[in-house]
Amino acid sequence: MKKKSFSPVSRKDYLIPNVSDERGLNLYIQEHGKKKTVAVQGLGFVGTVMSLVVANSDHGEYAVIGVDQATEDSYWKIADINAGVCPIVSSDPLVGEFFENAKLTNNFYATYDSMAFSFADVIIVDINLDVTKAKDDLGNIESYDVPLVGFKKAIESIGQVCKEDVLILVETTVPPGTCQKVVYPILIERLKSRGLPTDKFKLGHSYERVMPGPNYVNSIKNFYRVYSGINEHSADAVEKFLKTVISTDEYPLTRLKTTESTEMAKVLENSYRAMNISFAIEWSRFAENSGVDLYEVVDAIRLRPTHANLMYPGIGVGGYCLTKDPLMASWASEEFFGLESGLQSSVKAVENNDKMPMFCFDFVSNILKHHDKEKTSIGLLGVAYGPGIGDTRFSPVEDFYNRLCARFDNIKCQDPYVPLWAELNLEIEMSLEAFLANSFDILIVTTGHRDYLHNDAIYELIERSSNEMIIIDTVGLLDLHKLPTHFSQNKNFYVLGVGHNEE
Amino acid sequence: MKKKSFSPVSRKDYLIPNVSDERGLNLYIQEHGKKKTVAVQGLGFVGTVMSLVVANSDHGEYAVIGVDQATEDSYWKIADINAGVCPIVSSDPLVGEFFENAKLTNNFYATYDSMAFSFADVIIVDINLDVTKAKDDLGNIESYDVPLVGFKKAIESIGQVCKEDVLILVETTVPPGTCQKVVYPILIERLKSRGLPTDKFKLGHSYERVMPGPNYVNSIKNFYRVYSGINEHSADAVEKFLKTVISTDEYPLTRLKTTESTEMAKVLENSYRAMNISFAIEWSRFAENSGVDLYEVVDAIRLRPTHANLMYPGIGVGGYCLTKDPLMASWASEEFFGLESGLQSSVKAVENNDKMPMFCFDFVSNILKHHDKEKTSIGLLGVAYGPGIGDTRFSPVEDFYNRLCARFDNIKCQDPYVPLWAELNLEIEMSLEAFLANSFDILIVTTGHRDYLHNDAIYELIERSSNEMIIIDTVGLLDLHKLPTHFSQNKNFYVLGVGHNEE
């Protein structure tokens, strides 16, 4: 099963076209004669919402074209958008509002035709750039690579047709050095071969800090931005553009001296977060072994402002960024800048984090060591990689689920945001009520969706369900004191990162 | 040369007594008949100021006795205190004020006689517990140990004479599990052998978060405290006591369930900080190699509240805590709780941090690669391990200085807080003006004392000094724009963590 960047809502089997979209593009451009055109390359988790933010800019000055590929994985998003269906399931109501508003003003069109770039005054690059990693049987990272082929092709498709004075803004997370050493030379070469001047286009880098949860839109529109340009007039152009789409009065922009600087800032930011998460892993084991409640300890420490971002224990880190950005940084430090052994600590953080679901499985299987393979029925609450989102890319629950499946036969999953677990091609029950009507022997909380706590629904449902049920909370979501009285710490109720107290 | 816990101010050669202090103690106790007696074991950086805070409690209800050993390293502190000389040099004026006030009310006495514990209603344990580490030639940690012999002896000296209902509050940073597995059994055994009941004494753990800089006193008195007791009535007693000496209205206390929990909280806190510092190391090298100004990048990222504690590059981490606490934690996880491979990430953080002065030396020696060994005169600004303090214990400047000495013959050091660099037995120039009257070829900023920036004194002094001088800032203290105009980035002025920009 191929990975989808997110689940298709309409789930229609669209027929993938094999002709150009010239007619559609021309019609759209004609309608918006006076507006500036912004093309967004890549309709993933960032590109789609970035498109919506640009289409909803305060003065309605932009006609937006979202561009993605006419492949099985991506075409449905293009078709959804043009059919007036928002391709994103989100806990943030602004996503839907922005989409409806763009429909009303008709300034969001989607296409698979790279001719779109020829109309664009601004092109935002939001395509994915993946990292490949090879591991040994114990989960240790043996090697990793950043294959740039696809990314280079995407930049070439821009250079092939773009206006000579276009502003190209790279938002993709790239290995530091990429704008200078990869993107810039390609554009120069393409423009030269088209007989165009090479000193008029503007190239900049600015990374988003998107968080696809309840503040999805605001994490793009109302948040600090760091940006840079390949030269002064590029940086000026990026600044001017960002000021029209982002609330820069409230969240002032920060200009850095070089594109290497902003590229580094992005991967450093995520490496730092990955490392902070990785830090909690060994301490979870320590707490479990020494009868300590790590949640209590972390809460006490977080009172210090300098330690407020200390992480709680958990099943693991997922998503598209934290699992690869540190490797991307390390790769660039070696490949582009000759740092001999890369960034070992950052690589180690990814390796540790990737092992979290395994540790979580060990914790769970230790509790369930006497449970029968065939007779035990297990319910998993949450498959997304984090609270409030429908994103299952690199979800730690996937590894955990696979390990659990090898040990137990009857496992069902629920998630309020995931209709289809794309990576496993598994239909997911979205209703908590319907799900808990099953009588589970074991209930395992695997994603910290706040929805589970709304109106204490989950506690009431647990109250009504089997009396013998064991609950294992791998993300510290549930409150012991709200559970029915036959649950007590380490009896019918276990929390990852909380040890037995041997008093 | 032995390490002193801090530099003696009076530098008198006190004659170390070899008789008991019975008379002194009795006199002091008689004077304070109605007051409760608090004995503080250990007059180091924590114990001395903790004593002052207790002696200055709001209701003046405590007579304080500071207890340390009659050794060359410690006796001078006892004599200083009783002679009315504050043994601490600090940038915090409250230290002096609290000391003067305790003199006025005569409620701070110091002794080397462990009979002091027999008078005490409360005993606070503030002695040091060290970690030994063995490294290979490359600085990799090969092994580490926490020898408990001295610590056990200290606890025994309490158990030998203490009241049966004493409250013993351990503030020393100890391997998690120590109160339960080491302190408690010793006290039980001692009281038993003295024919006393073993259920009346109270034993608790509460760690300070002392920062021996400009907020030295307030980092004890006005800051959050975490505490625990070996049992319920111990925890209650700790709570009651702490409320009388710390501003708990403003900074509420946090009670944790077990002594293991607070012991773990302390070392986890410091391990987290050590790891955050360690994180910056590889990125410094990366920035230097890719022409990036890491300071600029860190500043941009720190705008995110979740990343506000991201560290700047620097010469290294020193002091008594961060260089050992992560190892202590790892040691306990193996020795006390059977965690197979300890806390590898925490050990790695210490190893990385210990290597920082070496990286700093590499950075500096690369800049000075053509400078003559004999003719070059070098000035080092700062030998303390951090800004605003006179503490040179495990200062990263020590390793850096030693490496520099092997390469250059003429090196002088300055520090406004360190009259004598105890570890190297080196007299230190405390006046910046006198120091910069030397004509240095190279000036290296090695500690970020804010004093250097007061009234821009340093810039004026640099202006008046040699025209050919090269300045290397290893802690990001100086502002390029305030330096004389012949300094520019990477020309006469270099900053660790800032790369050449090859534009």
Side-chain angles (χ1 to χ4, degrees), chain A residues 268-469:
Chain A
L268 195 161
E269 235 180 88
N270 280 339
S271 299
Y272 190 60
R273 208 172 154 76
M275 189 203 51
N276 283 356
I277 293 170
S278 148
F279 179 75
I281 296 175
E282 293 176 341
W283 294 87
S284 278
R285 303 295 84 72
F286 192 6
E288 288 155 14
N289 278 26
S290 59
V292 167
D293 176 346
L294 192 54
Y295 283 90
E296 184 188 69
V297 169
V298 170
D299 280 336
I301 296 175
R302 279 181 157 217
L303 286 176
R304 288 189 79 163
T306 52
H307 290 61
N309 57 358
L310 186 63
M311 296 285 179
Y312 293 101
I315 186 172
V317 54
Y320 184 63
C321 300
L322 301 191
T323 48
K324 68 160 178 52
D325 288 2
L327 301 180
M328 197 173 257
S330 185
W331 183 88
S333 77
E334 287 186 82
E335 295 291 320
F336 287 162
F337 300 104
L339 214 70
E340 238 170 70
S341 43
L343 307 172
Q344 287 182 18
S345 307
S346 299
V347 174
K348 190 72 191 164
V350 171
E351 184 175 288
N352 282 347
N353 290 344
D354 283 354
K355 289 179 182 175
M356 289 175 81
M358 183 180 79
F359 289 123
C360 181
F361 173 74
D362 290 346
F363 180 80
V364 168
S365 61
N366 192 40
I367 296 165
L368 305 182
K369 56 176 171 263
H370 302 303
H371 278 72
D372 187 80
K373 186 179 196 304
E374 288 166 24
K375 288 185 198 143
T376 310
S377 75
I378 300 181
L380 250 58
L381 289 177
V383 304
Y385 82 77
I389 53 174
D391 191 350
T392 54
R393 290 178 300 168
F394 306 100
S395 171
V397 188
E398 189 177 330
D399 182 30
F400 175 76
Y401 174 81
N402 287 335
R403 288 170 189 273
L404 207 63
C405 283
R407 169 74 177 82
F408 294 102
D409 292 341
N410 303 303
I411 306 170
K412 286 195 175 71
C413 301
Q414 192 277 346
D415 197 299
Y417 297 103
V418 182
L420 176 79
W421 194 349
E423 288 77 8
L424 302 172
N425 201 20
L426 206 65
E427 299 251 354
I428 300 297
E429 174 61 65
M430 291 176 86
S431 153
L432 180 63
E433 179 133 29
F435 186 70
L436 289 187
N438 293 289
S439 110
F440 292 114
D441 302 312
I442 316 292
L443 195 63
I444 308 179
V445 186
T446 35
T447 307
H449 292 307
R450 303 294 302 171
D451 311 61
Y452 294 140
L453 303 179
H454 285 169
N455 308 317
D456 292 339
I458 196 163
Y459 299 108
E460 287 159 29
L461 287 165
I462 287 169
E463 181 92 57
R464 276 190 265 146
S465 66
S466 158
N467 228 350
E468 300 297 312
M469 192 161 70

Side-chain angles (χ1 to χ4, degrees), chain B residues 124-431:
Chain B
I124 304 176
V125 178
D126 274 332
I127 52 175
N128 284 349
L129 179 51
D130 293 334
V131 174
T132 58
K133 33 185 168 175
K135 295 184 196 172
D136 67 14
D137 291 346
L138 299 169
N140 301 311
I141 294 177
E142 287 180 321
S143 65
Y144 52 93
D145 191 20
V146 186
L148 286 170
V149 187
F151 181 80
K152 284 178 178 170
K153 265 194 193 156
I155 300 300
E156 272 161 14
S157 76
I158 293 174
Q160 216 89 305
V161 297
C162 68
K163 297 182 181 177
E164 62 186 47
D165 62 347
V166 66
L167 163 62
I168 297 168
L169 178 58
V170 178
E171 285 195 334
T172 299
T173 303
V174 292
T178 298
C179 280
Q180 188 68 252
K181 291 173 193 281
V182 178
V183 181
Y184 193 64
I186 289 176
L187 293 173
I188 295 276
E189 190 270 324
R190 284 291 95 192
L191 287 170
K192 250 189 202 155
S193 78
R194 289 167 59 203
L196 294 173
T198 57
D199 58 348
K200 291 195 172 163
F201 76 90
K202 283 89 65 180
L203 171 60
H205 180 261
S206 174
Y207 61 91
E208 38 61 39
R209 283 151 161 167
V210 69
M211 287 176 282
N215 295 310
Y216 204 162
V217 168
N218 280 329
S219 70
I220 287 185
K221 190 169 176 63
N222 290 313
F223 209 62
Y224 300 105
R225 273 268 183 163
V226 173
Y227 74 99
S228 63
I230 206 87
N231 47 36
E232 205 70 13
H233 80 277
S234 290
D236 292 343
V238 174
E239 180 182 350
K240 203 174 148 199
F241 172 69
L242 288 177
K243 280 186 170 168
T244 63
V245 293
I246 290 170
S247 311
T248 52
D249 284 347
E250 217 179 324
Y251 299 92
L253 297 170
T254 306
R255 183 188 290 202
L256 300 188
K257 287 176 215 144
T258 62
T259 48
E260 284 83 356
S261 307
T262 55
E263 290 164 336
M264 188 184 289
K266 170 70 179 197
V267 288
L268 196 161
E269 235 180 88
N270 279 340
S271 299
Y272 190 60
R273 207 172 155 77
M275 189 203 51
N276 282 356
I277 293 169
S278 149
F279 179 76
I281 297 176
E282 293 175 342
W283 294 87
S284 277
R285 302 296 86 72
F286 192 6
E288 287 156 15
N289 278 27
S290 59
V292 167
D293 177 345
L294 192 54
Y295 283 90
E296 182 188 72
V297 169
V298 170
D299 280 335
I301 295 176
R302 279 182 158 217
L303 286 177
R304 288 189 80 165
T306 52
H307 289 63
N309 57 359
L310 186 63
M311 296 287 180
Y312 294 101
I315 186 174
V317 54
Y320 184 64
C321 300
L322 301 190
T323 48
K324 70 161 177 50
D325 288 2
L327 301 179
M328 198 173 258
S330 185
W331 184 87
S333 77
E334 286 186 81
E335 295 292 320
F336 287 162
F337 300 103
L339 213 71
E340 239 171 67
S341 43
L343 307 172
Q344 289 182 17
S345 308
S346 298
V347 175
K348 189 73 190 164
V350 172
E351 183 175 287
N352 282 348
N353 291 344
D354 284 354
K355 290 180 184 173
M356 288 175 80
M358 183 181 79
F359 289 123
C360 181
F361 173 73
D362 290 345
F363 180 80
V364 168
S365 61
N366 191 42
I367 296 166
L368 304 182
K369 57 177 171 262
H370 302 304
H371 278 72
D372 187 80
K373 186 179 196 303
E374 289 164 26
K375 288 186 200 142
T376 310
S377 76
I378 300 181
L380 250 57
L381 288 178
V383 304
Y385 82 78
I389 53 173
D391 192 349
T392 54
R393 289 178 301 167
F394 306 99
S395 171
V397 188
E398 190 179 329
D399 183 30
F400 175 76
Y401 174 81
N402 287 335
R403 289 170 189 274
L404 207 62
C405 284
R407 169 73 177 84
F408 294 103
D409 292 342
N410 303 304
I411 306 171
K412 285 195 175 71
C413 301
Q414 192 276 346
D415 196 300
Y417 296 103
V418 183
L420 176 79
W421 193 349
E423 289 77 9
L424 302 173
N425 201 19
L426 206 66
E427 298 253 354
I428 299 297
E429 174 60 64
M430 290 176 84
S431 153

